[in-house]
Amino acid sequence: MGLRITTWNVNGIRNPFGYQPWRDKRSFSAMFDVLEADIVVFQETKIQRKDLSDDMVLVPGWDCYFSLPRHKKGYSGVVIYTRQSVCAPIRAEEGITGLLCPPNSTTSFLNLPDDQQIGGYPTSAQLASSAVDANTLDSEGRCVILEFPAFVLLGVYSPANRDEARDEFRLGFLDILDARIRNLVALDKRVFLTGDLNISREELDAANAEASMRKQGMTGLEFVSTPARRLFNHLLEGGKVFGDRDEGREQPVMWDICRAFHPERKGMFTCWEQKVNARPGNCGARIDYVLCSLAMKSWFADSNIQEGLMGSDHCPVYAVMQEKIFIDGEQRDARDVMNPPGMFIDGKRQRDYSSASDPLPMSGKLIPEFFGRRNIRDMFARKPFLQQSQSIAVLGKDVESPDPPASVKQRLSIDGKASSPAIDTESSATTTQMHSAILSTAGKKRSTTDVQTQNPKRTKSSSTAPSPQAGKGQQSLKGFFRPKSSTKAERTEVATCEGDDVNGGQCTLPAVEILLSSNPSMENNEISSLPKSVNDTLSCPSADSQSNGTTSAGMDDLSVRKTDNVHDAIESKESWSKLFTKPAAPRCEGHNEPCITLLTKKAGMNLGRSFWMCPRPLGPSGAKEKNTQWRCQTFIWCSDWNPNATNGG
């Protein structure tokens, strides 16, 4: 199979790892293997320089080139990964204007010597025609450019059309991007443009195009003639451009590879709105593209979307090159022109990729924090072989000492006979020294005496230490429902009653009452196990108390007080549960299924209000439907919902 280029807006570079099939291995190399790609272009990485990590930069067998936002945190960002065994760029840049500088340099890309620059930079007149400052355009990390002998690859994340405040920036970015591409083509360089351009080309590329046109009162002509869409169609062969073409854009220069392989395919969308769960119903838009120069139209064998791969609100889009391509009238192996000259000849490698000389200044592996280092996973993947006698267990594990020298072995045992006491003493000292050396190497701060005298197995009594008393305050909500436990002092008061005092009527009832009131769940068998003096108090009261009738009254009063002090844990728990439990969800009208609750985030009088709606995803039409499997028209404000009333709100 030929070289494969994949683009994917990941909506956060680690976001895919929360989904299958990426969740199991959680590594970029495993992800690239599943994608079967040789060049991977990620958009919307949402990281800064400080967020880069070993597993992200030091991917075994891959090189990477980042463009990160200068100011905004968790915003934008583009990275291109290249498989070293298949391809290697000869130049790399960041940004579309050429005004940025390479790492560790104060010279901008456009001012580098001719043999070090990619070229095609926007002219001063083209920059002046833009309403946005050129430095601002490249400050958000939206473009990485790699040059191969075969073509110039542009990985782009175009600004989205979310609010009118960004319209000027969006059009300015697209205008300068168009100028850079046309300038490169004018230099007879082939161009491959890929990424999230945030533009649906025509009605076929948006599920809700008709609904949007009706809502805004637009015609099909006006839909494809919006400023951003018109500019994009100027760039493409076969793009719908009505009226006279713009000056400087008289001819199209790019080819839509994926649409060329599926010219009439409907529903070929690459992005879906997550807030309304639009992906199951395929109510989305095609805004991610793989485009190439017109001179490269015959270079590709396949192109498609991978809508079944989860991990973002976008799906990957790929294009596969032919193994043999025609370039300048000559058939060449694709690997010959996707690597520096001389690395491949007729598709056979002539020299290996050198991590010392082949990485470009823009390479992530040359970032000071990662230069000269390896991925920590690789460090543990190949463990050095250690003999059993050299193994050392650290972090609280047993330490295995090395075999003693031959001279010591000879002195310890001669012809199988036991050694003398003198030899035992000397060998013990030698062994102790070895243990001390090993422990000091492992970072154990122990003396020789400690190692020699320490018992490896501690007895239960020696290892038991008095634990600090728990605070008397309530430790959790469950403590509110737990019965009070009796204290040591209260139990002691009962236990100190002597038998003579009971017979003499001196052991008063409150001492027993304290025990029972503090243990309301005490069973009869537990009461019978109390000291005899206490049982006598309960079962055989003194003569004086019998004559006065105080025992029965006192016991009745005790039982009443005992009942009053009992907290019914189950009843209390149910009361609290009813207080904090959400009301039952209403059922939707169309499918009789429990509704879901959402929060209004749109500015206005209802901002912050919660509402119930049908749990099913939107259908292909992008609107609520009746008598279908998709989302019905049920809508109920949570504040208006009465669970006791008839459903239907």
Side-chain angles (χ1 to χ4, degrees):
M1 187 175 67
L3 182 141
R4 181 165 174 158
I5 304 172
T6 297
T7 178
W8 192 10
N9 182 321
V10 290
N11 194 23
I13 194 167
R14 294 193 181 278
N15 191 47
F17 294 139
Y19 300 81
Q20 291 291 4
W22 332 107
R23 182 185 298 153
D24 294 336
K25 294 186 177 180
R26 301 183 69 88
S27 70
F28 288 93
S29 58
M31 178 191 295
F32 300 154
D33 290 341
V34 173
L35 292 172
E36 298 180 330
D38 302 302
I39 299 176
V40 180
V41 185
F42 284 156
Q43 304 92 47
E44 211 169 352
T45 56
K46 295 185 177 182
I47 56 172
Q48 291 182 296
R49 171 78 172 267
K50 64 180 180 62
D51 300 318
L52 295 175
S53 59
D54 287 356
D55 66 323
M56 193 183 302
V57 177
L58 305 177
V59 183
W62 290 77
D63 211 341
C64 55
Y65 305 87
F66 287 89
S67 178
L68 305 175
R70 297 297 194 272
H71 309 295
K72 293 185 178 181
K73 297 181 180 180
Y75 182 78
S76 187
V78 174
V79 59
I80 299 180
Y81 288 91
T82 59
R83 193 188 295 269
Q84 297 169 353
S85 62
V86 177
C87 60
I90 57 177
R91 298 181 187 88
E93 293 183 4
E94 178 186 8
I96 58 176
T97 63
L99 297 178
L100 298 179
C101 299
N104 305 318
S105 175
T106 56
T107 304
S108 61
F109 288 110
L110 62 85
N111 291 323
L112 292 174
D114 293 342
D115 61 338
Q116 298 180 26
Q117 61 177 226
I118 295 178
Y121 306 105
T123 64
S124 56
Q126 289 172 330
L127 293 175
S129 64
S130 174
V132 184
D133 179 67
N135 290 309
T136 305
L137 290 176
D138 284 338
S139 66
E140 296 185 356
R142 293 188 175 274
C143 183
V144 173
I145 305 178
L146 302 183
E147 183 175 7
F148 302 88
F151 55 78
V152 177
L153 170 66
L154 287 85
V156 174
Y157 175 49
S158 178
N161 183 25
R162 288 199 168 90
D163 55 70
E164 297 180 357
R166 296 276 291 176
D167 283 350
E168 188 176 77
F169 180 86
R170 183 185 188 219
L171 293 175
F173 182 90
L174 293 173
D175 188 48
I176 298 302
L177 177 63
D178 177 86
R180 181 72 187 268
I181 293 172
R182 292 181 180 276
N183 292 349
L184 287 169
V185 173
L187 295 174
D188 291 331
K189 291 192 174 185
R190 292 165 290 272
V191 178
F192 190 98
L193 173 64
T194 185
D196 177 8
L197 302 183
N198 270 309
I199 302 173
S200 55
R201 175 177 168 181
E202 55 188 53
E203 299 94 328
L204 188 61
D205 298 309
N208 59 351
E210 294 183 3
S212 178
M213 287 188 289
R214 286 197 304 268
K215 184 177 180 180
Q216 301 180 28
M218 300 172 61
T219 63
L221 173 63
E222 294 172 332
F223 179 80
V224 297
S225 298
T226 55
R229 195 171 284 114
R230 176 180 171 84
L231 194 158
F232 183 49
N233 279 304
H234 269 87
L235 195 65
L236 298 176
E237 182 181 62
K240 293 183 179 180
V241 179
F242 294 94
D244 296 335
R245 298 181 69 95
D246 297 347
E247 182 180 356
R249 302 187 179 109
E250 290 80 8
Q251 297 296 327
V253 294
M254 302 297 287
W255 189 57
D256 189 347
I257 305 174
C258 196
R259 178 55 74 188
F261 278 92
H262 311 277
E264 303 297 331
R265 179 177 170 184
K266 297 182 179 180
M268 192 170 65
F269 305 135
T270 64
C271 179
W272 302 266
E273 181 63 48
Q274 286 185 316
K275 295 180 180 178
V276 295
N277 194 22
R279 190 163 186 169
N282 196 27
C283 179
R286 187 171 78 101
I287 59 177
D288 303 86
Y289 297 89
V290 282
L291 313 174
C292 70
S293 297
L294 301 181
M296 300 169 59
K297 291 171 64 174
S298 62
W299 286 20
F300 296 91
D302 187 24
S303 181
N304 208 338
I305 65 173
Q306 295 178 280
E307 67 275 23
L309 288 178
M310 307 300 289
S312 170
D313 55 340
H314 294 245
C315 75
V317 183
Y318 69 87
V320 181
M321 292 179 60
Q322 303 275 4
E323 293 185 3
K324 302 288 185 178
I325 60 176
F326 281 92
I327 181 170
D328 298 330
E330 180 184 358
Q331 189 180 43
R332 302 281 302 275
D333 191 285
R335 298 195 180 196
D336 294 357
V337 292
M338 290 300 295
N339 289 275
M343 184 173 286
F344 278 86
I345 297 179
D346 295 332
K348 297 181 180 179
R349 181 175 288 278
Q350 304 299 309
R351 69 175 182 88
D352 292 332
Y353 182 90
S354 173
S355 58
S357 58
D358 286 327
L360 302 174
M362 273 279 296
S363 171
K365 295 191 174 183
L366 298 185
I367 298 176
E369 299 93 307
F370 306 98
F371 178 66
R373 294 179 53 199
R374 291 189 301 163
N375 189 332
I376 193 169
R377 294 187 181 217
D378 295 343
M379 297 172 63
F380 290 99
R382 299 177 181 178
K383 296 182 180 179
F385 175 76
L386 294 178
Q387 297 181 0
Q388 185 176 2
S389 60
Q390 296 177 339
S391 63
I392 299 175
V394 194
L395 298 177
K397 297 182 180 179
D398 295 336
V399 179
E400 184 178 353
S401 60
D403 292 338
S407 59
V408 177
K409 288 183 177 180
Q410 184 177 5
R411 297 173 62 187
L412 288 175
S413 177
I414 302 175
D415 296 333
K417 297 180 181 180
S419 58
S420 64
I423 295 178
D424 291 342
T425 305
E426 184 176 355
S427 63
S428 176
T430 306
T431 305
T432 301
Q433 294 176 0
M434 293 179 182
H435 277 284
S436 301
I438 294 173
L439 290 174
S440 61
T441 305
K444 303 289 186 180
K445 297 182 180 179
R446 298 180 182 177
S447 64
T448 305
T449 306
D450 294 337
V451 177
Q452 186 175 2
T453 59
Q454 182 179 2
N455 186 1
K457 294 185 178 180
R458 297 182 180 180
T459 61
K460 184 175 181 180
S461 58
S462 62
S463 61
T464 304
S467 58
Q469 293 183 352
K472 294 183 179 180
Q474 180 176 316
Q475 301 299 319
S476 65
L477 186 60
K478 292 183 178 180
F480 178 81
F481 303 106
R482 187 179 296 116
K484 297 180 180 179
S485 59
S486 59
T487 62
K488 184 176 180 181
E490 293 170 345
R491 295 180 183 273
T492 304
E493 183 178 353
V494 178
T496 54
C497 294
E498 300 295 339
D500 295 339
D501 294 334
V502 173
N503 295 330
Q506 299 298 323
C507 184
T508 58
L509 188 62
V512 182
E513 180 184 348
I514 292 174
L515 178 60
L516 294 178
S517 62
S518 60
N519 292 273
S521 60
M522 181 174 288
E523 303 292 343
N524 293 332
N525 58 350
E526 294 178 330
I527 297 176
S528 64
S529 64
L530 292 173
K532 182 177 182 301
S533 58
V534 178
N535 278 321
D536 292 341
T537 304
L538 297 176
S539 60
C540 301
S542 62
D544 295 337
S545 59
Q546 283 182 353
S547 61
N548 296 330
T550 58
T551 301
S552 59
M555 291 302 294
D556 292 341
D557 183 61
L558 171 60
S559 61
V560 173
R561 277 188 261 178
K562 176 182 176 182
T563 305
D564 293 340
N565 292 333
V566 171
H567 294 282
D568 191 338
I570 297 178
E571 182 180 355
S572 300
K573 183 178 180 180
E574 291 178 352
S575 300
W576 282 98
S577 298
K578 292 179 181 178
L579 181 62
F580 292 107
T581 300
K582 294 182 179 180
R587 293 184 174 270
C588 66
E589 299 175 356
H591 314 98
N592 196 30
E593 297 177 357
C595 293
I596 58 173
T597 178
L598 297 175
L599 188 69
T600 306
K601 296 183 178 180
K602 185 178 180 180
M605 60 183 297
N606 291 321
L607 178 64
R609 292 187 68 185
S610 299
F611 58 91
W612 298 101
M613 65 183 302
C614 177
R616 297 200 177 190
L618 282 175
S621 65
K624 299 177 181 179
E625 304 174 5
K626 288 185 178 181
N627 302 321
T628 67
Q629 60 176 325
W630 306 111
R631 178 172 296 169
C632 66
Q633 298 179 341
T634 301
F635 181 91
I636 307 171
W637 290 111
C638 291
S639 57
D640 298 338
W641 165 241
N642 183 6
N644 299 322
T646 304
N647 186 16

